[in-house]
Amino acid sequence: SWPRSVAYVDGTADPHWTRAFAKSGKVSRVGRVMPCMTRVAIHSGQGVPLLIETHSGAASLKRRLLPMLRRLDEAIGPEAAVGRLTIVDAEVGTAGMIWTMHSQTDMGFVTVLKGAVAKGATINNEGPWHPYRERDEVRDVEVYLRGINAPDEGIRLRGVQMRRDGGRRPQTTLFATNVDPADLTPTGVASMYLSRWPKQEQRFRTARNGGGMNRSHGYGGEYVTHVALEDKQERARRSVERATTSHHQAADTRKELAEGLRQTSAKVRRKALKLADSDVRAKARKIAVRERADEKLQT
């Protein structure tokens, strides 16, 4: 029956199209740094978020994690935190942040170590591998971390490694947690963290598609049209029209050639019509390409 509840904490940045000055941040969805709104949310796995904050520009999950958990406890009462497991993205998977969560709170957490943090981690006391899902394996390890805002002697905590053999690029994922193995097995640690995608990331996507997160609470003013996108859409429509006109002209030219070359030799007539047919097919392919580009921009 453990844990009684699971909380997923993460943030997502969405474009903020405006002509006025606005704070900017990296928006992964469009692959650019631009004015944006960042929402930090706590999900329980189902339904709407339990708590959500909207920030102008980029917002650090490291700074907002503990204050938001305190706000959640104030809203729903401390009894609701009994047996709660907090799943947090890799942004907080640093020695300093892990030490803060472990030393300043009583919460159980699971996160993942990536990049320089994972490379700098020392792994000891490897346990046996256990089968997980269809092609993966997991095992318990001890992780030793050192870093900024952590004790000088470093910190030791439980880790779970997950690997997949037989792939072209063998890769090992390293989870970090402070939950005792008696309460959460290695397969449970991996499953809890990987449940972030269907139970939180998918919630962000669903909310953008009509659940209300396409608008930002707390920021008023008139609706600003995305002018650059409208310009691209208009150019794409004109491009389709030009390609269609060019195709009609090529077809008319081919028809005129067929009529005008009746008195010429068969060899000359076939060669001319072959070139005309090739031009008509090329113009038809160009229409298809430009219609696909236009449809992509419209959606």
Side-chain angles (χ1 to χ4, degrees), residues 21-71:
F21 172 81
K23 292 182 179 180
S24 297
K26 181 180 179 182
V27 184
S28 301
R29 203 152 52 86
V30 295
R32 59 190 290 190
V33 175
M34 61 176 295
C36 67
M37 297 290 180
T38 299
R39 300 178 183 84
V40 183
I42 300 179
H43 289 78
S44 63
Q46 303 296 334
V48 298
L50 298 175
L51 181 65
I52 187 169
E53 292 181 348
T54 303
H55 299 268
S56 178
S60 171
L61 183 59
K62 296 178 184 178
R63 295 182 178 180
R64 297 310 309 154
L65 175 63
L66 297 183
M68 284 195 69
L69 289 173
R70 284 195 290 268
R71 284 186 59 191

mmCIF file of all heavy atoms in Angstrom, residues 21-71:
data_model
loop_
_atom_site.group_PDB
_atom_site.id
_atom_site.type_symbol
_atom_site.label_atom_id
_atom_site.label_comp_id
_atom_site.label_asym_id
_atom_site.label_seq_id
_atom_site.Cartn_x
_atom_site.Cartn_y
_atom_site.Cartn_z
ATOM 1 N N PHE A 21 7.787 44.481 -24.496
ATOM 2 C CA PHE A 21 8.908 43.828 -23.814
ATOM 3 C C PHE A 21 8.375 42.740 -22.891
ATOM 4 O O PHE A 21 7.388 42.933 -22.186
ATOM 5 C CB PHE A 21 9.701 44.847 -23.004
ATOM 6 C CG PHE A 21 10.742 44.212 -22.120
ATOM 7 C CD1 PHE A 21 11.966 43.832 -22.627
ATOM 8 C CD2 PHE A 21 10.475 43.960 -20.777
ATOM 9 C CE1 PHE A 21 12.919 43.222 -21.825
ATOM 10 C CE2 PHE A 21 11.423 43.363 -19.965
ATOM 11 C CZ PHE A 21 12.646 42.999 -20.496
ATOM 12 N N ALA A 22 9.022 41.606 -22.890
ATOM 13 C CA ALA A 22 8.629 40.498 -21.999
ATOM 14 C C ALA A 22 9.863 39.663 -21.695
ATOM 15 O O ALA A 22 10.792 39.584 -22.502
ATOM 16 C CB ALA A 22 7.556 39.629 -22.643
ATOM 17 N N LYS A 23 9.868 39.044 -20.528
ATOM 18 C CA LYS A 23 10.981 38.183 -20.162
ATOM 19 C C LYS A 23 11.014 36.959 -21.063
ATOM 20 O O LYS A 23 9.976 36.446 -21.463
ATOM 21 C CB LYS A 23 10.855 37.753 -18.692
ATOM 22 C CG LYS A 23 11.045 38.898 -17.707
ATOM 23 C CD LYS A 23 10.966 38.395 -16.279
ATOM 24 C CE LYS A 23 11.188 39.515 -15.279
ATOM 25 N NZ LYS A 23 11.119 39.021 -13.888
ATOM 26 N N SER A 24 12.218 36.506 -21.345
ATOM 27 C CA SER A 24 12.389 35.397 -22.281
ATOM 28 C C SER A 24 12.959 34.169 -21.586
ATOM 29 O O SER A 24 13.487 34.248 -20.477
ATOM 30 C CB SER A 24 13.307 35.801 -23.440
ATOM 31 O OG SER A 24 12.734 36.848 -24.187
ATOM 32 N N GLY A 25 12.873 33.063 -22.261
ATOM 33 C CA GLY A 25 13.434 31.801 -21.785
ATOM 34 C C GLY A 25 13.478 30.814 -22.933
ATOM 35 O O GLY A 25 12.986 31.086 -24.037
ATOM 36 N N LYS A 26 14.057 29.647 -22.691
ATOM 37 C CA LYS A 26 14.153 28.620 -23.724
ATOM 38 C C LYS A 26 12.831 27.863 -23.804
ATOM 39 O O LYS A 26 12.363 27.301 -22.819
ATOM 40 C CB LYS A 26 15.284 27.650 -23.406
ATOM 41 C CG LYS A 26 15.468 26.567 -24.458
ATOM 42 C CD LYS A 26 16.606 25.628 -24.091
ATOM 43 C CE LYS A 26 16.767 24.528 -25.136
ATOM 44 N NZ LYS A 26 17.840 23.571 -24.783
ATOM 45 N N VAL A 27 12.244 27.838 -24.988
ATOM 46 C CA VAL A 27 10.995 27.120 -25.226
ATOM 47 C C VAL A 27 11.321 25.911 -26.096
ATOM 48 O O VAL A 27 11.518 26.032 -27.303
ATOM 49 C CB VAL A 27 9.942 28.017 -25.905
ATOM 50 C CG1 VAL A 27 8.624 27.266 -26.058
ATOM 51 C CG2 VAL A 27 9.737 29.293 -25.096
ATOM 52 N N SER A 28 11.402 24.750 -25.476
ATOM 53 C CA SER A 28 11.817 23.542 -26.196
ATOM 54 C C SER A 28 10.843 23.175 -27.304
ATOM 55 O O SER A 28 11.224 22.624 -28.336
ATOM 56 C CB SER A 28 11.946 22.369 -25.223
ATOM 57 O OG SER A 28 12.898 22.656 -24.217
ATOM 58 N N ARG A 29 9.572 23.490 -27.111
ATOM 59 C CA ARG A 29 8.553 23.078 -28.061
ATOM 60 C C ARG A 29 8.748 23.716 -29.434
ATOM 61 O O ARG A 29 8.400 23.126 -30.455
ATOM 62 C CB ARG A 29 7.168 23.435 -27.508
ATOM 63 C CG ARG A 29 6.034 22.643 -28.071
ATOM 64 C CD ARG A 29 4.904 22.557 -27.058
ATOM 65 N NE ARG A 29 4.498 23.843 -26.553
ATOM 66 C CZ ARG A 29 3.588 24.632 -27.153
ATOM 67 N NH1 ARG A 29 3.015 24.250 -28.261
ATOM 68 N NH2 ARG A 29 3.238 25.789 -26.617
ATOM 69 N N VAL A 30 9.293 24.936 -29.456
ATOM 70 C CA VAL A 30 9.538 25.596 -30.738
ATOM 71 C C VAL A 30 11.031 25.731 -31.029
ATOM 72 O O VAL A 30 11.420 26.271 -32.060
ATOM 73 C CB VAL A 30 8.865 26.987 -30.784
ATOM 74 C CG1 VAL A 30 7.359 26.857 -30.718
ATOM 75 C CG2 VAL A 30 9.376 27.870 -29.645
ATOM 76 N N GLY A 31 11.880 25.271 -30.099
ATOM 77 C CA GLY A 31 13.317 25.263 -30.331
ATOM 78 C C GLY A 31 13.951 26.637 -30.420
ATOM 79 O O GLY A 31 14.823 26.872 -31.258
ATOM 80 N N ARG A 32 13.534 27.563 -29.541
ATOM 81 C CA ARG A 32 14.122 28.903 -29.593
ATOM 82 C C ARG A 32 14.016 29.575 -28.230
ATOM 83 O O ARG A 32 13.225 29.178 -27.384
ATOM 84 C CB ARG A 32 13.425 29.750 -30.663
ATOM 85 C CG ARG A 32 11.944 29.918 -30.440
ATOM 86 C CD ARG A 32 11.224 30.553 -31.615
ATOM 87 N NE ARG A 32 11.581 31.947 -31.757
ATOM 88 C CZ ARG A 32 10.949 32.790 -32.595
ATOM 89 N NH1 ARG A 32 9.985 32.335 -33.383
ATOM 90 N NH2 ARG A 32 11.311 34.041 -32.679
ATOM 91 N N VAL A 33 14.847 30.606 -28.042
ATOM 92 C CA VAL A 33 14.762 31.467 -26.860
ATOM 93 C C VAL A 33 13.893 32.656 -27.239
ATOM 94 O O VAL A 33 14.189 33.350 -28.217
ATOM 95 C CB VAL A 33 16.155 31.926 -26.397
ATOM 96 C CG1 VAL A 33 16.024 32.921 -25.253
ATOM 97 C CG2 VAL A 33 16.997 30.731 -25.969
ATOM 98 N N MET A 34 12.834 32.891 -26.480
ATOM 99 C CA MET A 34 11.852 33.909 -26.863
ATOM 100 C C MET A 34 11.017 34.284 -25.641
ATOM 101 O O MET A 34 11.097 33.625 -24.599
ATOM 102 C CB MET A 34 10.933 33.339 -27.955
ATOM 103 C CG MET A 34 10.144 32.125 -27.520
ATOM 104 S SD MET A 34 8.991 31.544 -28.776
ATOM 105 C CE MET A 34 7.874 32.960 -28.839
ATOM 106 N N PRO A 35 10.214 35.357 -25.725
ATOM 107 C CA PRO A 35 9.290 35.658 -24.629
ATOM 108 C C PRO A 35 8.400 34.454 -24.344
ATOM 109 O O PRO A 35 7.879 33.826 -25.264
ATOM 110 C CB PRO A 35 8.476 36.838 -25.180
ATOM 111 C CG PRO A 35 9.392 37.508 -26.151
ATOM 112 C CD PRO A 35 10.181 36.394 -26.781
ATOM 113 N N CYS A 36 8.271 34.124 -23.066
ATOM 114 C CA CYS A 36 7.529 32.910 -22.730
ATOM 115 C C CYS A 36 6.884 33.014 -21.364
ATOM 116 O O CYS A 36 7.172 33.928 -20.585
ATOM 117 C CB CYS A 36 8.462 31.697 -22.769
ATOM 118 S SG CYS A 36 9.731 31.712 -21.491
ATOM 119 N N MET A 37 5.990 32.091 -21.107
ATOM 120 C CA MET A 37 5.381 31.887 -19.794
ATOM 121 C C MET A 37 5.778 30.490 -19.327
ATOM 122 O O MET A 37 5.667 29.528 -20.083
ATOM 123 C CB MET A 37 3.856 31.979 -19.872
ATOM 124 C CG MET A 37 3.331 33.328 -20.302
ATOM 125 S SD MET A 37 3.598 34.575 -19.046
ATOM 126 C CE MET A 37 2.862 35.997 -19.868
ATOM 127 N N THR A 38 6.221 30.388 -18.085
ATOM 128 C CA THR A 38 6.581 29.089 -17.529
ATOM 129 C C THR A 38 5.582 28.715 -16.442
ATOM 130 O O THR A 38 5.314 29.513 -15.544
ATOM 131 C CB THR A 38 7.996 29.113 -16.935
ATOM 132 O OG1 THR A 38 8.929 29.436 -17.972
ATOM 133 C CG2 THR A 38 8.361 27.750 -16.352
ATOM 134 N N ARG A 39 5.031 27.528 -16.559
ATOM 135 C CA ARG A 39 4.100 27.033 -15.549
ATOM 136 C C ARG A 39 4.768 25.912 -14.765
ATOM 137 O O ARG A 39 5.248 24.955 -15.365
ATOM 138 C CB ARG A 39 2.819 26.519 -16.196
ATOM 139 C CG ARG A 39 2.072 27.568 -16.993
ATOM 140 C CD ARG A 39 0.847 26.961 -17.651
ATOM 141 N NE ARG A 39 0.143 27.926 -18.468
ATOM 142 C CZ ARG A 39 0.461 28.226 -19.726
ATOM 143 N NH1 ARG A 39 1.467 27.608 -20.299
ATOM 144 N NH2 ARG A 39 -0.232 29.121 -20.402
ATOM 145 N N VAL A 40 4.806 26.053 -13.465
ATOM 146 C CA VAL A 40 5.305 24.999 -12.585
ATOM 147 C C VAL A 40 4.088 24.371 -11.922
ATOM 148 O O VAL A 40 3.278 25.070 -11.314
ATOM 149 C CB VAL A 40 6.280 25.549 -11.525
ATOM 150 C CG1 VAL A 40 6.838 24.415 -10.681
ATOM 151 C CG2 VAL A 40 7.409 26.329 -12.193
ATOM 152 N N ALA A 41 3.943 23.063 -12.084
ATOM 153 C CA ALA A 41 2.713 22.406 -11.636
ATOM 154 C C ALA A 41 3.015 21.170 -10.810
ATOM 155 O O ALA A 41 4.030 20.503 -11.014
ATOM 156 C CB ALA A 41 1.841 22.030 -12.843
ATOM 157 N N ILE A 42 2.118 20.872 -9.887
ATOM 158 C CA ILE A 42 2.148 19.629 -9.119
ATOM 159 C C ILE A 42 0.926 18.821 -9.537
ATOM 160 O O ILE A 42 -0.210 19.271 -9.384
ATOM 161 C CB ILE A 42 2.112 19.884 -7.604
ATOM 162 C CG1 ILE A 42 3.319 20.728 -7.172
ATOM 163 C CG2 ILE A 42 2.099 18.561 -6.848
ATOM 164 C CD1 ILE A 42 3.349 21.044 -5.690
ATOM 165 N N HIS A 43 1.180 17.647 -10.098
ATOM 166 C CA HIS A 43 0.115 16.745 -10.519
ATOM 167 C C HIS A 43 0.034 15.563 -9.552
ATOM 168 O O HIS A 43 1.039 15.143 -8.986
ATOM 169 C CB HIS A 43 0.380 16.192 -11.919
ATOM 170 C CG HIS A 43 0.222 17.196 -13.004
ATOM 171 N ND1 HIS A 43 1.198 18.151 -13.285
ATOM 172 C CD2 HIS A 43 -0.778 17.402 -13.898
ATOM 173 C CE1 HIS A 43 0.786 18.897 -14.307
ATOM 174 N NE2 HIS A 43 -0.397 18.462 -14.698
ATOM 175 N N SER A 44 -1.170 15.028 -9.415
ATOM 176 C CA SER A 44 -1.327 13.805 -8.633
ATOM 177 C C SER A 44 -1.407 12.590 -9.541
ATOM 178 O O SER A 44 -1.528 11.473 -9.061
ATOM 179 C CB SER A 44 -2.599 13.879 -7.786
ATOM 180 O OG SER A 44 -3.741 13.960 -8.630
ATOM 181 N N GLY A 45 -1.338 12.807 -10.845
ATOM 182 C CA GLY A 45 -1.395 11.712 -11.792
ATOM 183 C C GLY A 45 -2.679 11.665 -12.584
ATOM 184 O O GLY A 45 -2.723 11.136 -13.678
ATOM 185 N N GLN A 46 -3.754 12.244 -12.062
ATOM 186 C CA GLN A 46 -5.038 12.240 -12.762
ATOM 187 C C GLN A 46 -5.652 13.632 -12.679
ATOM 188 O O GLN A 46 -5.442 14.362 -11.717
ATOM 189 C CB GLN A 46 -6.002 11.212 -12.157
ATOM 190 C CG GLN A 46 -5.471 9.800 -12.136
ATOM 191 C CD GLN A 46 -5.241 9.242 -13.531
ATOM 192 O OE1 GLN A 46 -5.879 9.651 -14.487
ATOM 193 N NE2 GLN A 46 -4.305 8.312 -13.658
ATOM 194 N N GLY A 47 -6.414 13.982 -13.695
ATOM 195 C CA GLY A 47 -7.160 15.240 -13.648
ATOM 196 C C GLY A 47 -6.277 16.469 -13.759
ATOM 197 O O GLY A 47 -5.142 16.418 -14.215
ATOM 198 N N VAL A 48 -6.820 17.599 -13.320
ATOM 199 C CA VAL A 48 -6.115 18.876 -13.405
ATOM 200 C C VAL A 48 -5.021 18.934 -12.346
ATOM 201 O O VAL A 48 -5.035 18.158 -11.377
ATOM 202 C CB VAL A 48 -7.091 20.052 -13.215
ATOM 203 C CG1 VAL A 48 -8.136 20.057 -14.309
ATOM 204 C CG2 VAL A 48 -7.760 19.978 -11.845
ATOM 205 N N PRO A 49 -4.044 19.850 -12.471
ATOM 206 C CA PRO A 49 -2.988 19.951 -11.453
ATOM 207 C C PRO A 49 -3.553 20.306 -10.084
ATOM 208 O O PRO A 49 -4.555 21.013 -9.962
ATOM 209 C CB PRO A 49 -2.093 21.073 -11.993
ATOM 210 C CG PRO A 49 -2.370 21.126 -13.453
ATOM 211 C CD PRO A 49 -3.805 20.739 -13.610
ATOM 212 N N LEU A 50 -2.890 19.816 -9.035
ATOM 213 C CA LEU A 50 -3.271 20.189 -7.675
ATOM 214 C C LEU A 50 -2.912 21.636 -7.387
ATOM 215 O O LEU A 50 -3.626 22.340 -6.672
ATOM 216 C CB LEU A 50 -2.560 19.283 -6.664
ATOM 217 C CG LEU A 50 -2.867 17.786 -6.719
ATOM 218 C CD1 LEU A 50 -1.986 17.039 -5.741
ATOM 219 C CD2 LEU A 50 -4.340 17.538 -6.433
ATOM 220 N N LEU A 51 -1.791 22.063 -7.949
ATOM 221 C CA LEU A 51 -1.308 23.426 -7.723
ATOM 222 C C LEU A 51 -0.514 23.848 -8.948
ATOM 223 O O LEU A 51 0.245 23.049 -9.506
ATOM 224 C CB LEU A 51 -0.423 23.478 -6.469
ATOM 225 C CG LEU A 51 0.148 24.840 -6.075
ATOM 226 C CD1 LEU A 51 -0.970 25.793 -5.675
ATOM 227 C CD2 LEU A 51 1.145 24.690 -4.923
ATOM 228 N N ILE A 52 -0.694 25.093 -9.368
ATOM 229 C CA ILE A 52 0.009 25.569 -10.549
ATOM 230 C C ILE A 52 0.390 27.034 -10.362
ATOM 231 O O ILE A 52 -0.390 27.816 -9.821
ATOM 232 C CB ILE A 52 -0.848 25.377 -11.825
ATOM 233 C CG1 ILE A 52 -0.052 25.722 -13.072
ATOM 234 C CG2 ILE A 52 -2.140 26.150 -11.754
ATOM 235 C CD1 ILE A 52 -0.723 25.303 -14.357
ATOM 236 N N GLU A 53 1.597 27.373 -10.761
ATOM 237 C CA GLU A 53 2.079 28.746 -10.738
ATOM 238 C C GLU A 53 2.460 29.151 -12.155
ATOM 239 O O GLU A 53 3.015 28.343 -12.899
ATOM 240 C CB GLU A 53 3.314 28.892 -9.845
ATOM 241 C CG GLU A 53 3.072 28.691 -8.372
ATOM 242 C CD GLU A 53 4.345 28.884 -7.562
ATOM 243 O OE1 GLU A 53 5.438 28.942 -8.172
ATOM 244 O OE2 GLU A 53 4.239 28.985 -6.330
ATOM 245 N N THR A 54 2.178 30.395 -12.513
ATOM 246 C CA THR A 54 2.581 30.917 -13.814
ATOM 247 C C THR A 54 3.604 32.015 -13.590
ATOM 248 O O THR A 54 3.378 32.941 -12.808
ATOM 249 C CB THR A 54 1.376 31.478 -14.582
ATOM 250 O OG1 THR A 54 0.390 30.457 -14.714
ATOM 251 C CG2 THR A 54 1.794 31.945 -15.969
ATOM 252 N N HIS A 55 4.739 31.909 -14.278
ATOM 253 C CA HIS A 55 5.821 32.882 -14.145
ATOM 254 C C HIS A 55 6.119 33.490 -15.509
ATOM 255 O O HIS A 55 6.069 32.807 -16.529
ATOM 256 C CB HIS A 55 7.093 32.222 -13.604
ATOM 257 C CG HIS A 55 6.922 31.617 -12.241
ATOM 258 N ND1 HIS A 55 7.198 32.300 -11.086
ATOM 259 C CD2 HIS A 55 6.475 30.393 -11.861
ATOM 260 C CE1 HIS A 55 6.953 31.523 -10.044
ATOM 261 N NE2 HIS A 55 6.509 30.347 -10.495
ATOM 262 N N SER A 56 6.460 34.763 -15.499
ATOM 263 C CA SER A 56 6.892 35.419 -16.731
ATOM 264 C C SER A 56 8.345 35.050 -17.000
ATOM 265 O O SER A 56 9.202 35.169 -16.120
ATOM 266 C CB SER A 56 6.758 36.941 -16.595
ATOM 267 O OG SER A 56 7.223 37.577 -17.760
ATOM 268 N N GLY A 57 8.633 34.565 -18.199
ATOM 269 C CA GLY A 57 9.988 34.136 -18.525
ATOM 270 C C GLY A 57 10.282 32.766 -17.951
ATOM 271 O O GLY A 57 9.379 31.966 -17.695
ATOM 272 N N ALA A 58 11.562 32.490 -17.758
ATOM 273 C CA ALA A 58 11.983 31.192 -17.226
ATOM 274 C C ALA A 58 11.797 31.147 -15.714
ATOM 275 O O ALA A 58 11.930 32.156 -15.033
ATOM 276 C CB ALA A 58 13.439 30.927 -17.586
ATOM 277 N N ALA A 59 11.489 29.972 -15.191
ATOM 278 C CA ALA A 59 11.354 29.757 -13.746
ATOM 279 C C ALA A 59 12.160 28.521 -13.370
ATOM 280 O O ALA A 59 12.080 27.498 -14.038
ATOM 281 C CB ALA A 59 9.896 29.584 -13.346
ATOM 282 N N SER A 60 12.938 28.628 -12.301
ATOM 283 C CA SER A 60 13.804 27.539 -11.876
ATOM 284 C C SER A 60 13.021 26.545 -11.021
ATOM 285 O O SER A 60 12.447 26.920 -9.985
ATOM 286 C CB SER A 60 14.991 28.085 -11.089
ATOM 287 O OG SER A 60 15.734 27.032 -10.494
ATOM 288 N N LEU A 61 13.018 25.299 -11.452
ATOM 289 C CA LEU A 61 12.352 24.256 -10.665
ATOM 290 C C LEU A 61 13.052 24.067 -9.326
ATOM 291 O O LEU A 61 12.405 23.744 -8.324
ATOM 292 C CB LEU A 61 12.328 22.950 -11.462
ATOM 293 C CG LEU A 61 11.599 21.768 -10.827
ATOM 294 C CD1 LEU A 61 10.142 22.118 -10.558
ATOM 295 C CD2 LEU A 61 11.701 20.545 -11.719
ATOM 296 N N LYS A 62 14.379 24.266 -9.299
ATOM 297 C CA LYS A 62 15.122 24.123 -8.048
ATOM 298 C C LYS A 62 14.616 25.102 -6.992
ATOM 299 O O LYS A 62 14.499 24.763 -5.813
ATOM 300 C CB LYS A 62 16.616 24.366 -8.293
ATOM 301 C CG LYS A 62 17.270 23.361 -9.216
ATOM 302 C CD LYS A 62 18.728 23.727 -9.422
ATOM 303 C CE LYS A 62 19.385 22.783 -10.433
ATOM 304 N NZ LYS A 62 20.792 23.160 -10.686
ATOM 305 N N ARG A 63 14.328 26.342 -7.423
ATOM 306 C CA ARG A 63 13.899 27.359 -6.464
ATOM 307 C C ARG A 63 12.426 27.223 -6.086
ATOM 308 O O ARG A 63 12.027 27.611 -4.991
ATOM 309 C CB ARG A 63 14.159 28.748 -7.037
ATOM 310 C CG ARG A 63 15.637 29.056 -7.244
ATOM 311 C CD ARG A 63 15.831 30.462 -7.756
ATOM 312 N NE ARG A 63 17.247 30.787 -7.920
ATOM 313 C CZ ARG A 63 17.702 31.951 -8.352
ATOM 314 N NH1 ARG A 63 16.851 32.920 -8.667
ATOM 315 N NH2 ARG A 63 19.012 32.154 -8.483
ATOM 316 N N ARG A 64 11.611 26.706 -6.986
ATOM 317 C CA ARG A 64 10.184 26.665 -6.741
ATOM 318 C C ARG A 64 9.727 25.362 -6.094
ATOM 319 O O ARG A 64 8.611 25.287 -5.574
ATOM 320 C CB ARG A 64 9.409 26.852 -8.060
ATOM 321 C CG ARG A 64 9.615 28.187 -8.742
ATOM 322 C CD ARG A 64 9.437 29.360 -7.806
ATOM 323 N NE ARG A 64 8.185 29.266 -7.074
ATOM 324 C CZ ARG A 64 7.982 29.826 -5.893
ATOM 325 N NH1 ARG A 64 8.963 30.506 -5.292
ATOM 326 N NH2 ARG A 64 6.821 29.724 -5.292
ATOM 327 N N LEU A 65 10.544 24.304 -6.100
ATOM 328 C CA LEU A 65 10.108 22.990 -5.628
ATOM 329 C C LEU A 65 9.641 23.021 -4.177
ATOM 330 O O LEU A 65 8.488 22.693 -3.879
ATOM 331 C CB LEU A 65 11.235 21.973 -5.801
ATOM 332 C CG LEU A 65 10.955 20.578 -5.234
ATOM 333 C CD1 LEU A 65 9.779 19.940 -5.959
ATOM 334 C CD2 LEU A 65 12.185 19.693 -5.317
ATOM 335 N N LEU A 66 10.528 23.386 -3.263
ATOM 336 C CA LEU A 66 10.164 23.328 -1.841
ATOM 337 C C LEU A 66 9.071 24.331 -1.479
ATOM 338 O O LEU A 66 8.140 23.975 -0.731
ATOM 339 C CB LEU A 66 11.413 23.535 -0.985
ATOM 340 C CG LEU A 66 12.500 22.458 -1.138
ATOM 341 C CD1 LEU A 66 13.657 22.725 -0.179
ATOM 342 C CD2 LEU A 66 11.920 21.068 -0.887
ATOM 343 N N PRO A 67 9.118 25.597 -1.964
ATOM 344 C CA PRO A 67 7.997 26.509 -1.648
ATOM 345 C C PRO A 67 6.653 25.993 -2.147
ATOM 346 O O PRO A 67 5.631 26.150 -1.467
ATOM 347 C CB PRO A 67 8.400 27.808 -2.368
ATOM 348 C CG PRO A 67 9.885 27.764 -2.429
ATOM 349 C CD PRO A 67 10.220 26.312 -2.636
ATOM 350 N N MET A 68 6.628 25.363 -3.334
ATOM 351 C CA MET A 68 5.356 24.858 -3.835
ATOM 352 C C MET A 68 4.852 23.676 -3.015
ATOM 353 O O MET A 68 3.649 23.545 -2.767
ATOM 354 C CB MET A 68 5.486 24.467 -5.305
ATOM 355 C CG MET A 68 5.510 25.653 -6.242
ATOM 356 S SD MET A 68 5.238 25.183 -7.963
ATOM 357 C CE MET A 68 3.521 24.683 -7.958
ATOM 358 N N LEU A 69 5.764 22.808 -2.566
ATOM 359 C CA LEU A 69 5.342 21.690 -1.725
ATOM 360 C C LEU A 69 4.798 22.192 -0.387
ATOM 361 O O LEU A 69 3.845 21.628 0.161
ATOM 362 C CB LEU A 69 6.511 20.726 -1.510
ATOM 363 C CG LEU A 69 6.917 19.895 -2.738
ATOM 364 C CD1 LEU A 69 8.183 19.112 -2.460
ATOM 365 C CD2 LEU A 69 5.788 18.957 -3.166
ATOM 366 N N ARG A 70 5.410 23.263 0.128
ATOM 367 C CA ARG A 70 4.890 23.856 1.374
ATOM 368 C C ARG A 70 3.497 24.447 1.134
ATOM 369 O O ARG A 70 2.596 24.314 1.978
ATOM 370 C CB ARG A 70 5.851 24.922 1.897
ATOM 371 C CG ARG A 70 7.103 24.336 2.560
ATOM 372 C CD ARG A 70 7.832 25.379 3.374
ATOM 373 N NE ARG A 70 8.455 26.380 2.516
ATOM 374 C CZ ARG A 70 9.708 26.298 2.065
ATOM 375 N NH1 ARG A 70 10.468 25.254 2.383
ATOM 376 N NH2 ARG A 70 10.213 27.243 1.305
ATOM 377 N N ARG A 71 3.308 25.110 0.005
ATOM 378 C CA ARG A 71 1.999 25.667 -0.321
ATOM 379 C C ARG A 71 0.957 24.564 -0.452
ATOM 380 O O ARG A 71 -0.191 24.721 -0.029
ATOM 381 C CB ARG A 71 2.066 26.457 -1.631
ATOM 382 C CG ARG A 71 2.723 27.821 -1.520
ATOM 383 C CD ARG A 71 2.611 28.570 -2.835
ATOM 384 N NE ARG A 71 1.211 28.747 -3.219
ATOM 385 C CZ ARG A 71 0.832 29.184 -4.427
ATOM 386 N NH1 ARG A 71 1.740 29.428 -5.353
ATOM 387 N NH2 ARG A 71 -0.445 29.334 -4.701
#
